[in-house]
Amino acid sequence: MSDAENTPSDVNEVDIDAVYKESAIQDVLDRLDAELVGLVPVKTRIREIAALLLVDKLRRQLDLTAGNPSMHMSFTGNPGTGKTTVAMRMADILHRLGYVRQGHLVAVTRDDLVGQYIGHTAPKTREVLKKAMGGVLFIDEAYYLYKPENERDYGAESIEILLQVMENQRDDLVVILAGYKDRMDKFFESNPGMSSRIAHHIDFPNYNPDELVQIAKLMLAESNYRMSAEAEEVFSEYVKKRMEMPNFANARSIRNALDRARLRQANRLFNSRGRMLTKVDLMTIEAEDLLKSRIFAQGTDESTQDDDE
Amino acid sequence: MNSNGSGQITDAAERYKSGVIPYKKMGYWDADYQPKETDIIALFRLTPQPGVDPDEAAAAVAGESSTATWTVVWTDRLTAAELYRAKAYRVDLVPNTGPGTNNEAQYFAYIAYDLDLFEEGSIANLTASIIGNVFGFKAVKALRLEDMRIPVAYLKTFQGPATGIIVERERLDKFGRPILGATVKPKLGLSGRNYGRVVYEALKGGLDFTKDDENINSQPFMHWRDRYLYSMEAVNRASATTGEVKGHYLNVTAGTMEAMYERAEFAKSLGSVIVMIDLVIGYTAIQSMAKWARDNSMILHLHRAGHGTYTRQKNHGINFRVISKWMRMAGVDHIHAGTVVGKLEGDPNMVQGFYDILREPYNAMNLERGIFFDQPWASLKKVMPVASGGIHAGQMHQLLHYLGEDVVLQFGGGTIGHPMGVQAGATANRVALEAMIMARNEGRDFLSEGPKILDEAAKTCSPLRAALDTWKDITFNYASTDTPDFVPTTTGSI
Amino acid sequence: MITNPTGRLTQGQFSFLPDLTDEQISAQIKWALAHDWAVSIEYTDDPHPRNTYWEMFGLPMFDLKDPAAILMEVNEARKTFPNHYIRVMAFNSTRGVESPAMSFIVNRPANEPGFGLVRAEGPGREIRYSFHSYATDKPESERY
């Protein structure tokens, strides 16, 4: 330890590869690549943040002091674009690079933070903050915390406590606010205090049809299903139609569509009793399992229902 | 002659013919016997007389500690004799003894006793059988009771510790650290008034307990009532000036049960939280006092006075781990169980074995620590072991390492012999203890960093500095006599 | 003033050491969390040796991961009750223990008045003792 702590130490070389290897963040980045289709801009930002933290760590080794960079983030994008998944990986990266001590993720919404009566909100918010200490607090649809139409809404109290902790206890937790882009923008406009404490704004783009088909294939493979070649063609038709409908929720809608396809596949197999089924039969989603979807039956304009077709 | 595989005579007429036959043939040896869950098992270390077969010696011990006498009796046939006969079922040569070594052959003999051989809730009855007659028996040259497996069914007939570690801590409001104590010295000769001074200074200085010595009862220089009155004045003054619960073990040992009850009642009426007895009062008196202590919300401290006469020698007597088991059953709350590092006998492994027996809800077999049987404790409360004799503040890291948190550390000389006085001695011990606990909880390697941790703490505590300087070279480095049989090299005292 | 060698109330695990810093408190809490003990904060204006039940500053905290969460409450308690005694306790729920495992003071009043010893003399020189908290001479809200 040098006598004067502010003087850069005599050692003036650090091994970036060694620190990189030791942190094993490549594993996390690889996993992110494997798990999430597309999202190139998001992945790039994550890489940048990882690089920042890594260099910061190296600088600290050479006693080049600088305040801990702020790491609070906002993730904006439509539902099903991978915000929660990325938040989980982010927590992991922050932990591996020593930015947070425990690396767990606590995901909440307004109901977990805001109470029903006077004196209820502060303890609730603090309870959540305490659970998240040492890790990442992920607040989904954060704009619901702020209800300008109701003067006496307790959400403001929760925001105030959050702000305090985000400012004073940066070393203890990272907050990620998430939600639709336009609503988040409005939220930040009316809450400049919150806006100024967010260091990283990451926008999650919608998936394009090819990416969605790829996601579907990944999801099916995870649960030991596959689509026949014919079914795959039908599915990419399906995706295009579904995207034009209301309440489209990217990967989430894909998962729901696949769940229903599995249901129809099971029915089809059940009705074909009297013959032996092969392993392939049990694994394969056929075109007819998809074609029975109401999207094909009724056309897009009539279906204004939500995802539950 | 008809006999089974173990050599027992199976033909009844043959078996009960008047005369003398070997114990083995009488049925006290059964190599195939599978002990029942409700059996009491005793493990003896036996040294047979020259020429006596170890199986026969084991059978003899089994016989003499259960139904047999030296000759055949026909009255056996009026009983379910087969059940009542203890069965020696296993004999192992003790490692490092016998042919090829410099030591006379010794054997571990396992003997099982049926539950019906014993009266419920009576240590006196249990011991009258197991150690009643056999230790003077001619067929064995030496005999030591090494361990016992007490079945849950039998344990449940005992009260167990009157208070137990957990409730004691709640009553004292002291958590997460060893309790500190000291024995008032000199042992003999102080008047009641002078005696109370030592109590007051030590408790005010930071100890939790002070203690009468084992032979302080009611002698000409200080009658018991005086000691009690002055000691309780000191205890209460110390409590008022620290805000802590304090206590003094008032020794109620006396010549009769009536006198002991009288003293205990008086201690209670003065607001004492604890009374003390000596092991020499006997098992029944101990159980009576344990019942009294439970009935009166008092902690019961036991000084193991006299145990060294039969626990110390390795080839003859009773291992202290057996005494520990009996005392947990009998119901004491504190028992002196060794220090590892102090002036009295105690190999580290053996002492840790005693502590396990006193404090754990379940003992798994652990030969290195001398625990020969799995022993569930059937929720009998835990006994607080007391480490006393030649220990001082400079050993705090070793004491915490070997003995853990649930222990009373008694620094008699280490408090009263402090160059700056009794109060300073007490403070030194308390500061050393708190610093060591803090370091342990911070995750530091307190055993190897111990001296450094103490030096750091001494910077803000001159009494600790003085204690460390005074006793820095004091160790009691003698080889233990009671050492484990199952470690590659026997360990000496540290 | 209390007159023992520390000049203050000596309850708890670390009363003979200098006041704990926030880092030291965090290290102790970390020990508790590592053992899966619930941690609670309690405060009182009457530290009588038999006053078992100090007021709870919120319920004991379960399932927390990081000491910072509890330190935040400690500081909140200090802010609310700067002149009270505040202690941190840890509770072990293991069978056969089910009792506090730690207890240490993290805040004290600037001036600790201590206790008086009240003696009631009886026959045969027997004396009944009781302690009197000087702090309790004043009404509850004005003690420190």
Side-chain angles (χ1 to χ4, degrees):
Chain A
M1 189 52 95
S2 61
D3 291 349
E5 289 199 351
N6 289 327
T7 331
S9 91
D10 313 341
V11 189
N12 46 23
E13 271 184 12
V14 284
D15 188 345
I16 187 162
D17 283 332
V19 175
Y20 186 69
K21 251 193 208 143
E22 186 204 351
S23 67
I25 40 174
Q26 190 59 48
D27 294 353
V28 188
L29 295 173
D30 288 348
R31 214 166 135 196
L32 206 53
D33 268 336
E35 281 175 353
L36 290 178
V37 173
L39 290 183
V40 178
V42 174
K43 288 173 183 168
T44 311
R45 281 304 295 278
I46 302 283
R47 245 169 246 284
E48 286 168 5
I49 291 170
L52 171 69
L53 291 171
L54 187 71
V55 169
D56 209 62
K57 196 171 176 182
L58 293 170
R59 284 168 51 93
R60 276 200 303 272
Q61 287 187 3
L62 295 189
D63 293 347
L64 295 170
T65 49
N68 246 350
S70 170
M71 276 295 144
H72 302 310
M73 304 177 199
S74 95
F75 286 5
T76 49
N78 291 332
T81 46
K83 297 188 291 293
T84 311
T85 311
V86 171
M88 261 153 41
R89 297 297 155 253
M90 196 68 229
D92 205 359
I93 290 170
L94 291 168
H95 179 50
R96 283 170 197 243
L97 287 169
Y99 193 85
V100 294
R101 288 183 296 267
Q102 319 289 340
H104 59 298
L105 180 95
V106 174
V108 299
T109 60
R110 175 189 157 100
D111 285 351
D112 301 301
L113 294 165
V114 180
Q116 305 292 320
Y117 44 86
I118 291 179
H120 192 200
T121 298
K124 269 189 103 167
T125 301
R126 298 176 67 80
E127 199 55 38
V128 166
L129 283 167
K130 284 189 291 188
K131 287 222 154 64
M133 288 279 171
V136 171
L137 175 62
F138 182 84
I139 307 176
D140 205 7
E141 306 212 66
Y143 29 76
Y144 286 137
L145 288 177
Y146 177 66
K147 293 192 168 165
E149 66 278 8
N150 181 354
E151 256 179 51
R152 274 177 301 183
D153 183 64
Y154 300 124
E157 192 181 344
S158 184
I159 291 176
E160 202 174 307
I161 297 168
L162 284 170
L163 282 176
Q164 259 178 32
V165 173
M166 285 166 77
E167 183 62 30
N168 302 332
Q169 292 182 263
R170 274 191 203 174
D171 297 346
D172 295 329
L173 93 165
V174 165
V175 175
I176 298 179
L177 306 176
Y180 288 106
K181 173 103 173 71
D182 49 341
R183 295 207 214 169
M184 283 301 282
D185 287 347
K186 254 191 237 147
F187 173 69
F188 285 131
E189 257 171 51
S190 359
N191 293 277
M194 192 59 97
S195 177
S196 68
R197 282 175 184 83
I198 299 290
H200 303 277
H201 291 267
I202 302 179
D203 197 38
F204 287 61
N206 285 330
Y207 292 106
N208 66 36
D210 289 346
E211 288 170 343
L212 289 169
V213 173
Q214 225 184 315
I215 288 170
K217 284 160 83 174
L218 260 173
M219 284 176 179
L220 286 174
E222 267 171 24
S223 38
N224 295 309
Y225 278 95
R226 52 184 283 273
M227 282 190 271
S228 66
E230 215 182 316
E232 208 177 306
E233 264 172 52
V234 174
F235 193 74
S236 64
E237 262 328 284
Y238 171 91
V239 166
K240 281 172 204 154
K241 283 180 188 289
R242 180 69 185 85
M243 284 173 76
E244 285 158 25
M245 287 166 47
N247 297 321
F248 174 64
N250 287 283
R252 200 173 304 153
S253 295
I254 299 298
R255 180 171 295 285
N256 291 340
L258 295 177
D259 284 347
R260 286 185 299 269
R262 282 168 63 175
L263 189 70
R264 295 193 202 99
Q265 182 235 29
N267 263 304
R268 170 171 59 76
L269 295 176
F270 185 73
N271 291 332
S272 68
R273 268 174 308 176
R275 70 179 178 92
M276 296 301 286
L277 295 174
T278 64
K279 195 171 170 185
V280 175
D281 289 334
L282 292 172
M283 285 178 68
T284 308
I285 304 283
E286 295 289 356
E288 59 178 297
D289 301 331
L290 298 163
L291 282 167
K292 281 191 185 145
S293 161
R294 237 188 279 179
I295 288 182
F296 293 112
Q298 298 175 351
T300 58
D301 52 346
E302 285 176 44
S303 171
T304 49
Q305 299 178 11
D306 61 11
D307 249 11
D308 281 328
E309 261 184 57
Chain B
M1 196 187 276
N2 294 323
S3 66
N4 66 11
S6 293
Q8 180 187 351
I9 302 168
T10 47
D11 179 71
E14 192 72 31
R15 163 66 177 79
Y16 291 105
K17 209 163 77 183
S18 291
V20 178
I21 52 174
Y23 288 94
K24 237 175 124 168
K25 295 196 171 168
M26 288 197 271
Y28 296 104
W29 170 256
D30 181 356
D32 299 325
Y33 183 72
Q34 296 285 332
K36 299 191 294 282
E37 216 170 286
T38 52
D39 281 350
I40 287 169
I41 305 173
L43 173 75
F44 292 93
R45 175 196 299 268
L46 61 87
T47 312
Q49 290 290 4
V52 176
D53 167 43
D55 296 358
E56 173 61 15
V61 170
E64 284 301 313
S65 58
S66 60
T67 51
T69 183
W70 60 276
T71 182
V72 172
V73 291
W74 63 268
T75 41
D76 264 349
R77 299 197 69 183
L78 305 178
T79 70
E82 190 56 40
L83 179 80
Y84 299 133
R85 245 174 241 143
K87 285 130 194 125
Y89 63 93
R90 179 176 159 189
V91 169
D92 300 337
L93 184 67
V94 173
N96 202 25
T97 71
T101 69
N102 296 327
N103 305 315
E104 192 175 11
Q106 296 179 356
Y107 298 89
F108 286 132
Y110 292 75
I111 299 173
Y113 302 81
D114 190 88
L115 191 55
D116 277 4
L117 287 167
F118 307 98
E119 178 178 348
E120 62 277 12
S122 169
I123 300 286
N125 179 250
L126 175 71
T127 54
S129 282
I130 308 285
I131 59 169
N133 253 342
V134 290
F135 283 73
F137 200 44
K138 277 185 179 168
V140 293
K141 195 168 166 189
L143 186 67
R144 190 185 198 210
L145 179 56
E146 286 287 346
D147 200 1
M148 291 185 75
R149 197 284 305 266
I150 315 287
V152 167
Y154 195 49
L155 283 179
K156 276 292 184 192
T157 66
F158 286 85
Q159 169 194 281
T163 313
I165 289 177
I166 302 303
V167 177
E168 170 170 353
R169 285 190 175 283
E170 291 194 344
R171 285 195 201 151
L172 300 177
D173 188 37
K174 297 177 198 298
F175 306 102
R177 64 165 173 89
I179 306 294
L180 287 177
T183 308
V184 174
K185 304 281 176 179
K187 285 174 129 176
L188 303 168
L190 290 171
S191 71
R193 189 181 191 284
N194 291 344
Y195 195 91
R197 166 61 71 185
V198 179
V199 172
Y200 176 57
E201 296 293 318
L203 295 180
K204 181 184 177 187
L207 301 191
D208 305 302
F209 281 131
T210 49
K211 170 179 170 292
D212 285 346
D213 224 328
E214 75 282 2
N215 52 354
I216 286 272
N217 295 157
S218 191
Q219 282 102 323
F221 50 83
M222 178 171 60
H223 285 113
W224 66 275
R225 277 185 69 101
D226 285 324
R227 186 170 82 257
Y228 287 22
L229 286 163
Y230 283 112
S231 296
M232 286 315 296
E233 169 73 15
V235 165
N236 286 301
R237 282 275 288 120
S239 257
T241 191
T242 60
E244 274 188 280
V245 180
K246 303 278 185 184
H248 176 80
Y249 316 159
L250 292 166
N251 192 348
V252 301
T253 299
T256 63
M257 247 359 260
E258 291 73 21
M260 291 212 289
Y261 283 134
E262 184 191 0
R263 293 176 192 191
E265 287 294 342
F266 189 58
K268 183 182 79 173
S269 77
L270 294 177
S272 182
V273 295
I274 187 163
V275 293
M276 163 185 168
I277 50 175
D278 291 341
L279 182 59
V280 290
I281 66 174
Y283 302 136
T284 297
I286 291 171
Q287 282 193 264
S288 290
M289 288 309 298
K291 184 176 179 306
W292 180 90
R294 167 87 48 104
D295 291 347
N296 290 282
S297 282
M298 297 282 271
I299 302 166
L300 183 62
H301 178 98
L302 178 80
H303 187 292
R304 56 174 173 173
H307 83 97
T309 51
Y310 48 85
T311 60
R312 187 168 187 191
Q313 293 310 317
K314 204 167 170 177
N315 64 344
H316 192 82
I318 307 174
N319 193 298
F320 188 72
R321 79 178 61 91
V322 178
I323 304 293
S324 299
K325 285 190 177 177
W326 292 347
M327 289 304 104
R328 187 167 178 179
M329 294 156 75
V332 304
D333 292 316
H334 286 188
I335 183 171
H336 292 240
T339 63
V340 178
V341 297
K343 72 176 180 187
L344 300 175
E345 168 74 23
D347 173 87
N349 279 304
M350 298 288 98
V351 170
Q352 285 173 313
F354 307 154
Y355 277 56
D356 288 345
I357 283 167
L358 295 167
R359 294 189 301 201
E360 299 298 324
Y362 176 84
N363 302 134
M365 186 175 94
N366 183 340
L367 294 180
E368 228 176 273
R369 291 193 172 183
I371 296 173
F372 286 82
F373 302 104
D374 293 343
Q375 175 69 65
W377 276 102
S379 299
L380 251 56
K381 291 179 190 296
K382 305 168 190 171
V383 183
M384 183 86 86
V386 177
S388 173
I391 57 177
H392 56 83
Q395 299 160 323
M396 198 58 82
H397 50 298
Q398 295 166 312
L399 291 165
L400 185 60
H401 171 77
Y402 285 114
L403 309 180
E405 193 173 281
D406 284 328
V407 58
V408 183
L409 299 176
Q410 292 208 163
F411 302 89
T415 299
I416 296 153
H418 193 281
M420 294 158 72
V422 177
Q423 183 180 303
T427 303
N429 287 319
R430 179 76 175 263
V431 170
L433 175 71
E434 292 191 355
M436 205 55 65
I437 290 289
M438 179 176 275
R440 179 198 66 176
N441 295 2
E442 284 172 353
R444 288 174 72 176
D445 178 2
F446 66 90
L447 184 60
S448 61
E449 288 182 45
K452 198 174 132 205
I453 293 163
L454 293 172
D455 279 338
E456 282 166 17
K459 279 181 197 158
T460 52
C461 177
S462 52
L464 177 56
R465 184 70 268 154
L468 296 175
D469 293 343
T470 307
W471 293 304
K472 64 177 182 291
D473 297 321
I474 305 297
T475 55
F476 298 91
N477 207 354
Y478 306 104
S480 291
T481 51
D482 183 23
T483 50
D485 297 289
F486 292 95
V487 279
T489 50
T490 46
T491 13
S493 298
I494 289 168
Chain C
M1 256 313 272
I2 287 192
T3 56
N4 69 65
T6 66
R8 57 195 201 166
L9 186 80
T10 60
Q11 294 175 17
Q13 285 169 289
F14 306 120
S15 283
F16 275 72
L17 303 180
D19 283 338
L20 276 68
T21 63
D22 280 7
E23 285 85 332
Q24 286 175 314
I25 293 170
S26 289
Q28 294 301 317
I29 294 169
K30 200 171 154 197
W31 171 262
L33 295 180
H35 286 84
D36 272 331
W37 296 335
V39 180
S40 92
I41 297 166
E42 301 181 352
Y43 64 96
T44 191
D45 60 5
D46 174 18
H48 187 286
R50 310 280 179 192
N51 180 9
T52 306
Y53 304 114
W54 293 18
E55 302 303 322
M56 293 198 289
F57 191 80
L59 297 179
M61 291 169 267
F62 300 92
D63 307 322
L64 296 185
K65 301 251 187 204
D66 195 84
I70 293 156
L71 189 66
M72 184 171 84
E73 290 296 319
V74 168
N75 285 323
E76 195 66 21
R78 285 167 164 168
K79 216 162 71 189
T80 320
F81 300 106
N83 270 316
H84 281 56
Y85 289 94
I86 302 176
R87 70 185 176 199
V88 171
M89 301 197 78
F91 293 89
N92 181 347
S93 65
T94 312
R95 178 183 175 222
V97 182
E98 295 155 307
S99 184
M102 296 177 78
S103 172
F104 58 94
I105 291 178
V106 293
N107 199 69
R108 305 166 176 274
N111 183 21
E112 304 186 52
F115 309 91
L117 185 63
V118 182
R119 298 178 181 82
E121 284 171 273
R125 297 185 55 239
E126 198 169 324
I127 298 176
R128 304 257 166 166
Y129 297 92
S130 61
F131 308 113
H132 171 68
S133 292
Y134 291 124
T136 57
D137 290 344
K138 293 184 197 157
E140 261 196 297
S141 54
E142 297 164 22
R143 287 178 186 171
Y144 287 110

